[in-house]
């Protein structure tokens, strides 16, 4: 019974959401999809679901609109106004050399569910290209397929049980993925791609105990067949072959539109919220009218089931915040 503007950057840009990267591998644990679903199928199903709630009058006697207004748009700037928010949105695909198509929308409550972008490995990157899809064209050829780059060990580790898994990244951070990989196999190699491993002594001790190899040589080239990734050509001319390839180079939160806002974040830039999904400021106070859900929320598991639940919670809280009457007392 609310009028909801649903802005989806994926309709006007290549920012399609993380699940998109399961291009051909089925996601087995998404709620309401028994039998599994690929990322593109999931996006299609969710858009069909949204289409079932079109904008319409509230009732025969009340013409106020309710329903979901799905629009392609990249939120560029979120501005506080007297009665809520103004959203500055790029609503058409970006064309080189042309100005952006900008539209402005107003809202009384906003739920941020913009997720984050994974950082991709620095291998065969086209430094001359601006757009991420051009820069990482070779990496993306192998991404999201059964025998290619994976981003989530918990989601895709089962594809490589007792096989040799390569994990690209460095620092204690990458050991999170290498640690998880050991649920599936004992054969794990960490590739730092030319950087010092940067791991702390306790982590190194366990790595040695578990027989995990660390290779610090730079990776020069992918070795692949079609969209299958097989291994790497290293800087010294050697070739390394693996069965599964995971990358964990950190993340880029999709919160550029919050520049200048006082919001509390964790060390990765993810938003801190309260139990209602309401965004907190640096002093721990609720930011009026601003809610968040899904991968963009700090301290949550990055899973579809979690995103569904957090979305439901934040959506209902945002709706409740618009009630004309508050609980007496
Ligand atoms: C390769 C891979 C495999 C995975 N496999 C599984 C699995 O098997 N099971 C599982 O449960 N989870 C899996 N996940 C994780 C799952 O995809 C995420 O947890 C989930 O997609 C998070 O949902 P979200 O809505 O928070 O963010 P996303 O799905 O990332 O969606 C964010 C949305 O925000 C939009 N957006 C971004 N910026 C803006 C902006 N400025 N303005 C407007 N819109 C914007 C994007 O277009 C996108 O539609 C996998 C992830 C990856 C990368």
């Amino acid at each position: 019974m609310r009028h909801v503007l649903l802005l989806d950057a994926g309709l006007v840009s290549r920012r399609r959401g993380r699940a998109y990267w399961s291009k051909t591998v089925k996601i087995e644990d998404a709620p309401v999809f028994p039998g599994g679903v690929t990322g593109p199928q999931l996006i299609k199903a969710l858009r069909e679901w949204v289409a079932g709630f079109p904008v319409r009058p509230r009732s025969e006697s009340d013409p106020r609109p309710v329903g979901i207004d799905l629009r392609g748009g990249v939120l560029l700037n979120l501005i506080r106004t007297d009665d809520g928010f103004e959203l500055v949105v790029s609503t058409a695909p970006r064309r080189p050399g042309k100005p952006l198509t900008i539209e402005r929308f107003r809202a009384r409550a906003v739920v941020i569910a913009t997720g984050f972008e994974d950082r991709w490995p620095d291998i065969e990157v086209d430094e001359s290209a601006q757009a991420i899809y051009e820069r990482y064209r070779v990496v993306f050829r192998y991404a999201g397929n059964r025998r290619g780059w994976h981003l989530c060990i918990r989601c895709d580790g089962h594809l490589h049980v007792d096989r040799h898994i390569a994990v690209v990244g460095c620092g204690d951070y990458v050991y999170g993925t290498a640690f998880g990989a050991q649920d599936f196999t004992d054969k794990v190699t960490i590739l730092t791609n030319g950087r010092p491993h940067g791991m702390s002594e306790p982590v190194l001790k366990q790595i040695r105990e578990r027989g995990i190899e660390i290779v610090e040589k730079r990776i020069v080239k992918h070795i692949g067949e079609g969209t299958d990734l097989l291994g790497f050509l290293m800087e010294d001319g050697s070739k390394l072959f693996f069965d599964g390839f995971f990358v964990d180079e950190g993340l880029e939160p999709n919160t550029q539109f919050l520049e200048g806002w006082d919001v509390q974040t964790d060390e990765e830039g993810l938003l801190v919220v309260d139990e209602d999904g309401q965004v907190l400021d640096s002093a721990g106070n609720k930011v009026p009218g601003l809610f968040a859900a899904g991968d963009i929320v700090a301290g949550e598991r990055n899973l579809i089931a979690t995103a569904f639940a957090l979305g439901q919670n934040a959506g209902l809280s945002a709706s409740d915040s618009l009630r004309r009457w508050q609980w007496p007392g």
Side-chain angles (χ1 to χ4, degrees), residues 7-11 13-22 26-31 42 47 73-76 113-118 144 149-152 154-156 158 254 256-257 293-296 301-307:
L7 287 175
D8 183 356
L11 290 167
S13 75
R14 303 267 197 166
R15 239 188 261 185
R16 303 228 165 99
R18 288 188 82 226
Y20 170 76
W21 289 106
S22 263
K26 278 194 173 174
I27 295 164
E28 307 278 0
D29 58 345
L42 175 67
R47 289 203 181 128
V74 180
L75 176 60
L76 300 178
T114 45
F116 57 76
E117 306 298 321
D118 294 279
W149 284 115
H150 301 291
L151 293 156
C152 170
R154 213 174 264 279
C155 307
D156 295 332
H158 66 283
N254 286 326
Q256 296 83 351
F257 48 84
D295 278 5
I296 195 60
R301 289 193 189 278
N302 300 141
L303 291 172
I304 289 163
T306 316

Side-chain angles (χ1 to χ4, degrees), residues 174-288:
V174 76
Y175 191 57
T177 296
F179 186 70
Q182 296 171 71
D183 288 347
F184 304 97
T185 181
D186 289 332
K187 291 166 241 164
V188 179
T189 298
I190 296 174
L191 300 166
T192 69
N193 193 15
R195 296 159 294 182
H197 62 69
M199 290 176 206
S200 64
E201 200 40 55
V203 167
L204 277 177
K205 182 167 173 286
Q206 190 169 99
I207 282 180
R208 281 193 289 267
E209 282 164 7
R210 300 290 299 124
I212 293 174
E213 187 188 13
I214 302 177
V215 176
E216 291 183 319
K217 284 181 254 182
R218 181 148 181 78
I219 302 169
V220 179
K221 223 170 164 350
H222 297 83
I223 301 172
E225 261 175 28
T227 57
D228 285 352
L229 182 56
L230 308 178
F232 303 116
L233 175 67
M234 311 302 288
E235 61 187 344
D236 61 358
S238 60
K239 291 178 180 170
L240 298 179
F241 293 92
F242 303 93
D243 304 297
F245 301 83
F246 287 80
V247 55
D248 198 345
E249 296 279 17
L251 59 88
E252 200 73 58
N254 286 326
T255 49
Q256 296 83 351
F257 48 84
L258 286 179
E259 207 183 312
W261 283 74
D262 174 22
V263 291
Q264 201 181 123
T265 58
D266 69 2
E267 67 282 356
E268 293 187 297
L270 302 176
L271 298 171
V272 176
V273 302
D274 69 5
E275 66 280 4
D276 295 322
Q278 188 156 2
V279 174
L280 300 179
D281 67 16
S282 54
N285 300 315
K286 294 170 191 281
V287 179

